[in-house]
Amino acid sequence: MKELIERANLARKQAYAPYSRFAVGSAVQTASGKLFDGCNIENSSYGLTICAERIAIFKAVSAGERNLETIAVVADTPGPTAPCGACRQVMAEFGIKTVIMCNIRGEEKVVTLQELLPLAFGNQDLAGDGNE
């Protein structure tokens, strides 16, 4: 857990956040023990901005990893920072079970994704013949 948080904190230093000045770092651990990190990257067209958590997850997936277990997120916030709703849904898609929320002062809160997103949308919700 400590290494995952350290990687997230290091990734945070690479954030491109000229508009919000809110730098975020994240790191995800796969079932095989590999770590992938990411930072938030903003754009002047705000809808094109992407969160650190999704970058870390997408890096893992683009490297062929599908079994993701734990993710850490770090930001300069008064308390441990929580992922946004879009990131929570992506975490659910790839089976992340544990979320470590942190701030740069070392405060941590460990929760399950189920606690953060109790009614996640998933492939089980796509069942049907398309005529409903």
Side-chain angles (χ1 to χ4, degrees), residues 7-27 37-43 46 48-56 59 72-76 81 84 87:
R7 285 280 297 267
N9 208 17
L10 285 173
R12 181 184 167 277
K13 294 176 181 173
Q14 300 303 317
Y16 178 74
Y19 307 105
S20 72
R21 307 258 188 258
F22 186 65
V24 181
S26 184
D37 56 26
C39 60
N40 59 317
I41 301 173
E42 295 181 347
N43 190 281
Y46 290 119
L48 301 178
T49 295
I50 187 163
C51 300
E53 300 94 320
R54 282 181 280 154
I55 289 180
K59 284 171 70 174
V73 58
V74 178
D76 186 4
T81 193
C84 74
C87 288

Side-chain angles (χ1 to χ4, degrees), residues 126-132:
L126 300 176
D129 62 11
N131 293 320
E132 293 147 14

Side-chain angles (χ1 to χ4, degrees), residues 42-97:
E42 295 181 347
N43 190 281
S44 58
S45 176
Y46 290 119
L48 301 178
T49 295
I50 187 163
C51 300
E53 300 94 320
R54 282 181 280 154
I55 289 180
I57 291 167
F58 295 163
K59 284 171 70 174
V61 171
S62 68
E65 297 291 334
R66 296 295 186 272
N67 298 315
L68 310 183
E69 292 187 341
T70 304
I71 194 164
V73 58
V74 178
D76 186 4
T77 49
T81 193
C84 74
C87 288
R88 294 175 194 199
Q89 182 61 46
V90 171
M91 289 174 196
E93 180 73 20
F94 292 101
I96 293 173
K97 292 174 183 49

